[in-house]
Amino acid sequence: MAILVTGGAGYIGSHTCVELLNEGYEIIVLDNLSNSNDEALRRVKEITGKQFKAYNIDLLDKEHVTNVFKENKIDSVIHFAGLKAVGESVSDPLRYYKNNVTGTITLCEVMQQFEVKKLVFSSSATVYGASGNNIPITEEARIGATNPYGRTKHMIEEILQDVYRSDNEWSIALLRYFNPIGAHKTGRIGEDPSGIPNNLMPYIAQVAVGKRQELQVFGNDYPTRDGTGVRDYIHVDDLAAGHIKALKKIQITNGVDAFNLGTGKGYSVLEMVNAFERATNQKVPYRMEERRPGDAAICYANPSKARKLLGWQPTRDIDVMCEDTWRWQYNNPNGYEIVKETNKASKSPVQQHAADFLMPK
């Protein structure tokens, strides 16, 4: 029986695929490559020395999603697939609601059809909103997403709660990520944002590698240690390990539950800049800008529930996060861009990289 990983070619998805394969799981990847690259999957195979099926399919295409379930014996699903840029969600909310929410509904309909009722869902700490909660944030904190991206995550959580209420055979883990950073220790897979990075660490890394001139720091008058915003940064490999723990839990218990995946420690923007410079010996020039509307001063997790019920806790410190980020960025200054250009010139990405990257029939 296999684990279906939707969005498995993405940043967190590809790292979780490595963890799954190293743990001995059989995996099947489903990804439409709209904001990811199949080169990541080729490198997952390179890192692990293991093969797996991968389908180039959109979750909105119910017929082809159904065919994946017909062709394979699927036991559980880890669901990463979705659009994830906060700013883009504000400018194009309908696209986000259609893709993220409708795609998840389609997935659940097909899962229900094939009696596959075990799901780990990639949610986000954005469901908590920008203010009004005690710090550190627990899973019982007030929900109040302030942008369409966060609201799609909240809506999907509510939908999955209703799915379980209607059928108690379902077992669902809702994993609320804080701020994933870092890369695999080999430097072969990492975060490859399209265009201008939406998150702090890839922006810092692109400045350090010379791809961008300087970092913009939004706000230096917050009630924090140095006036800049404080967030909870977690290594992507620790995050991937959390999915393995959640997967093991849903294999043995029914129900639906939410878990914070964070370190429980907060670092300011300038502390992250200093940590990166210390870990890499690279200078990161920056300039101060006005605050952005809706940004919270401080946001970090209370991860004790995940530690208690999943047996999970992060192990990598901020220096390792920075070192691994830099190793990826230094060795891949343009991310997977070169591979993308190669793909265009080749007969097809399938022939170029993975004989078993399957197109819809």
Side-chain angles (χ1 to χ4, degrees):
M1 300 288 279
I3 310 301
L4 178 67
V5 184
T6 74
Y11 173 44
I12 302 171
S14 60
H15 287 78
T16 302
C17 285
V18 170
E19 290 287 326
L20 287 164
L21 291 166
N22 286 341
E23 287 281 324
Y25 289 97
E26 176 189 353
I27 69 169
I28 297 164
V29 171
L30 188 157
D31 200 305
N32 68 2
L33 303 180
S34 65
N35 56 3
S36 59
N37 193 298
D38 62 316
E39 171 67 6
L41 298 180
R42 190 191 70 78
R43 295 189 187 188
V44 168
K45 295 174 183 178
E46 171 195 304
I47 291 167
T48 63
K50 297 181 180 180
Q51 298 296 312
F52 53 88
K53 287 184 182 179
Y55 292 82
N56 185 353
I57 290 174
D58 194 303
L59 280 180
L60 295 174
D61 188 340
K62 188 173 184 179
E63 178 183 354
H64 289 125
V65 174
T66 300
N67 287 339
V68 172
F69 280 77
K70 285 181 179 178
E71 294 172 9
N72 302 280
K73 293 183 178 179
I74 296 170
D75 173 75
S76 308
V77 177
I78 301 181
H79 178 32
F80 294 104
L83 300 172
K84 61 178 184 178
V86 169
E88 185 182 62
S89 78
V90 173
S91 62
D92 196 356
L94 293 180
R95 179 170 174 242
Y96 271 67
Y97 289 121
K98 180 177 181 179
N99 185 86
N100 294 5
V101 179
T102 306
T104 302
I105 291 172
T106 299
L107 173 65
C108 289
E109 287 174 340
V110 177
M111 289 175 66
Q112 194 167 48
Q113 178 184 344
F114 287 87
E115 294 291 317
V116 178
K117 299 180 181 180
K118 298 180 179 67
L119 175 66
V120 176
F121 172 57
S122 168
S123 190
S124 169
T126 56
V127 300
Y128 296 121
S131 62
N133 286 314
N134 293 326
I135 303 296
I137 295 174
T138 70
E139 290 81 358
E140 288 70 42
R142 182 182 63 85
I143 300 296
T146 58
N147 56 71
Y149 164 71
R151 282 191 279 273
T152 66
K153 294 296 187 181
H154 180 206
M155 288 178 184
I156 292 168
E157 285 195 9
E158 291 294 314
I159 289 167
L160 295 176
Q161 293 274 4
D162 287 338
V163 167
Y164 172 70
R165 292 186 188 103
S166 70
D167 181 355
N168 295 154
E169 291 183 358
W170 281 79
S171 184
I172 303 169
L174 312 172
L175 303 185
R176 295 171 179 168
Y177 313 156
F178 278 68
N179 295 75
I181 63 173
H184 193 265
K185 61 184 179 182
T186 61
R188 296 295 289 152
I189 57 174
E191 187 169 11
D192 182 20
S194 298
I196 299 173
N198 293 291
N199 300 318
L200 176 65
M201 185 52 71
Y203 207 115
I204 288 175
Q206 288 189 9
V207 171
V209 84
K211 190 173 182 179
R212 303 197 179 276
Q213 184 176 0
E214 61 185 0
L215 172 71
Q216 294 171 282
V217 178
F218 295 99
N220 64 349
D221 57 351
Y222 287 108
T224 62
R225 292 181 290 271
D226 56 27
T228 62
V230 170
R231 296 293 182 270
D232 188 335
Y233 298 94
I234 179 171
H235 197 292
V236 65
D237 281 339
D238 281 331
L239 196 61
H243 290 76
I244 308 301
K245 294 291 189 180
L247 181 64
K248 291 178 178 178
K249 182 179 187 297
I250 66 171
Q251 300 288 345
I252 59 175
T253 61
N254 292 354
V256 56
D257 212 348
F259 299 93
N260 287 339
L261 295 188
T263 64
K265 299 176 182 178
Y267 293 92
S268 74
V269 173
L270 292 185
E271 285 172 336
M272 292 300 293
V273 170
N274 292 334
F276 187 88
E277 291 182 339
R278 182 178 64 248
T280 66
N281 287 321
Q282 301 298 313
K283 291 300 294 180
V284 180
Y286 63 86
R287 74 172 187 270
M288 293 296 180
E289 301 282 0
E290 295 295 319
R291 293 187 189 187
R292 291 180 302 192
D295 277 356
I298 303 172
C299 180
Y300 60 91
N302 179 339
S304 60
K305 183 177 178 181
R307 182 171 62 247
K308 180 179 179 181
L309 298 184
L310 300 181
W312 169 86
Q313 59 183 15
T315 61
R316 296 162 179 86
D317 62 22
I318 198 68
D319 290 330
V320 173
M321 297 183 207
C322 292
E323 290 166 5
D324 289 346
T325 297
W326 179 239
R327 186 181 301 109
W328 154 256
Q329 189 69 70
Y330 181 80
N331 290 311
N332 304 269
N334 295 308
Y336 299 119
E337 182 177 319
I338 294 175
V339 177
K340 291 175 183 176
E341 292 173 354
T342 303
N343 284 351
K344 292 176 182 178
S346 65
K347 292 182 180 179
S348 74
V350 178
Q351 294 168 327
Q352 177 71 25
H353 296 303
D356 55 353
F357 197 93
L358 305 172
M359 305 297 286
K361 294 180 180 178

